[in-house]
Amino acid sequence: MSQWKLYDNWYAELAGLTVEQLRERRAFAAERAAHAVGRGMGRNPKAGREWRARLRAVDDELLSRGVQEA
C-alpha cells in the first residue's frame, strides 16, 4: 500500500466513510491547512489551497448527509 493512499484517494473515498471518519478527516485537513499558511511553519500557499479544497469536500459530504458540524 502506498504511503500516499490517503491523499491520492481523498475525494473518491469520502462517500464510503462513516460520519466519525469524516469528522477525523475534517480535523486533519483543517490542521494541515492552518499549518500550511502559519507563521514559522514554512508557508506554502499552494498546499494551503489544496488542504482548504479537501476541507470543503469533507464539509460538502457532511452537509449532503445532513450532518451539522460544530
Side-chain angles (χ1 to χ4, degrees), residues 30-52:
E31 179 182 340
R32 296 298 296 256
H35 285 206
V37 295
R39 289 191 181 274
M41 302 298 278
R43 293 181 186 188
N44 187 337
K46 181 179 177 185
R49 285 189 302 272
E50 290 175 358
W51 282 109
R52 284 190 301 275

Side-chain angles (χ1 to χ4, degrees), residues 12-35:
E13 292 180 345
L14 292 180
L17 297 176
T18 66
V19 172
E20 184 60 35
Q21 289 171 321
L22 286 170
R23 287 182 174 146
E24 290 173 3
R25 287 236 179 147
R26 186 188 190 289
F28 179 71
E31 179 182 340
R32 296 298 296 256
H35 285 206

